[in-house]
Amino acid sequence: MAERTPRRPRRRLIAAAALATGVLTGVAACSPGPSGGSSATGAKSAGPVATNPAEAGKVTLTVWDQNTDAGADAATEALNKAFMAKYPNITVKRVSRSFADLKTTLKLALSSANPPDVVQANQGYPDMGAFVKAGLLQPVDRYAKTYGWDTSFPSQLLDLNRFTTDGRTWETGNLYGVSQTGEIVGVYYNKAKLKSLGLPPPTTLAGFETALAKAKASGLQPLSYGDADKSPGIHIFGIIQALTAGKPEVRKLVFDEGDAKWTNSGTLKAATTLRRWADKGYMGSGFNGRSKDQAVASFAQGTSLFLVEGTWQSAVLAPKMKKNVGFTALAPAAGKPPLTQGGEGLAWSVTSKSRHPDVAAAYIDFLVNRNGMKVAATHGNLPAIPPADYKPTPGTVDADVLTRWKAVSEKDGLLPYLDYTTPTFYDTLTAAVQELTAGHLSAKAFTTRLQSDYSSFQNSR
């Protein structure tokens, strides 16, 4: 067995104190075409930071993002337009990919002769760690100091975007990006249909299962679910595991602490629960061939009672369902605080080969500064650092999202996304969830497969 690199103790994912003080109230196969903003010449990594893009000359800044959901897309378009209006010499060339597409194409784009200048990089070992190891991203510590990111963002959020230069140790070392949005995964519900069943919004896993069963018995589809994009499988399994295994165990697993195992009883119970939901028809049929967008659209059309998704979908649902859509996060039992997955959106990062890293950093600051966060909120997104005057209209899903975010964060109930665990865990977990829910993999075999991936990573360190 190879000697493992010691891991430092983990801190809370989100600081409750930050909430109290108002710092935080929330969390590609072809490469881009030629860009005036990218070259293989390598990034400038030292010297004073030029903070005025107007003095940079004519620049084309190529930006890759995964903001394809309605609210994120609208906010990004608005901010790009405003940035170019402020700096007419800068052209932002946007390339937007779904999260699934970005997972498969971004590394190739970064490795190309003409890589983008700015990209959204997913935290954890599979993406950010791999990009850092390959030398494809540059540290942004000097930009964090120049623009004040190092003080405006809570350290817990910044740490999610840190890696050692060899990409082997997460949450320590250099900073490789900052995030614009906060997010949690929870349960959207159709208020009218829930009322027709004589049920209150669920607050616990048991209450949620009761509602699923009652909806099925009444002839109503309990859940809208589509896992063709793979990430929904991580989310639905993750929120169940949070409630059955508990936060200490999940954090140990994802953060490689102690003697935690993916074959533990809590994770096995989560797998058994998810398999049961599929077997009982709660998730419908053909869900592994249905996209998440199809599932969201189906729920918005009123064909089901629930949708398990992230807060990023509120901007999609609100215009279609108005005040008939609610959002909640579940607790393991009555009287207990909610536990769920979440944190922050993908980090905005500067690529190593950008010819204009200072312009790239100024662009990122334009997205994450106070005005950038306000624009994000205006378009239905949950800002990582919401403005003090961000007060959604009562009775709306945005108000529910903010309330649930506070309830989760203030009680330290925010757990990391499971795909952060190892460099290969995203592929392992998403494939295993699809096989589990399709009835091709038992709950025990499911947990054994996850443990095998985890053990291989541990032994390689």
Side-chain angles (χ1 to χ4, degrees), residues 173-357:
N174 294 323
L175 183 68
Y176 285 94
V178 286
S179 303
Q180 183 191 47
T181 57
E183 56 191 40
I184 56 174
V185 178
V187 178
Y188 290 95
Y189 55 92
N190 185 304
K191 293 180 181 179
K193 293 188 182 299
L194 199 61
K195 184 178 180 180
S196 71
L197 294 174
L199 295 171
T203 58
T204 65
L205 179 59
F208 185 57
E209 289 205 81
T210 296
L212 291 173
K214 191 164 185 178
K216 182 65 176 178
S218 71
L220 174 64
Q221 179 59 45
L223 276 169
S224 283
Y225 178 70
D227 198 29
D229 305 275
K230 297 184 177 181
S231 58
I234 294 177
H235 298 149
I236 195 166
F237 176 73
I239 67 166
I240 301 172
Q241 186 201 30
L243 301 168
T244 58
K247 66 183 178 184
E249 189 72 14
V250 174
R251 286 175 177 169
K252 287 179 182 178
L253 288 168
V254 178
F255 295 145
D256 189 15
E257 294 176 335
D259 57 354
K261 293 185 181 298
W262 285 89
T263 51
N264 65 43
S265 60
T267 302
L268 180 61
K269 184 177 180 180
T272 302
T273 299
L274 183 57
R275 174 66 182 269
R276 182 172 65 248
W277 291 2
D279 290 345
K280 287 182 174 291
Y282 294 166
M283 302 157 73
S285 60
F287 46 76
N288 282 334
R290 185 183 305 128
S291 72
K292 68 172 182 177
D293 289 343
Q294 289 175 313
V296 173
S298 176
F299 173 73
Q301 292 166 4
T303 62
S304 66
L305 181 60
F306 295 120
L307 173 74
V308 175
E309 260 287 3
T311 48
W312 52 86
Q313 295 293 359
S314 63
V316 178
L317 297 170
K320 298 177 180 178
M321 301 180 71
K322 309 301 181 184
K323 290 190 175 183
N324 191 37
V325 57
F327 179 84
T328 189
L330 303 177
K336 300 291 184 180
L339 295 174
T340 191
Q341 289 183 326
E344 59 184 342
L346 272 63
W348 292 94
S349 302
V350 181
T351 64
S352 294
K353 294 181 182 179
S354 173
R355 287 178 54 197
H356 302 282

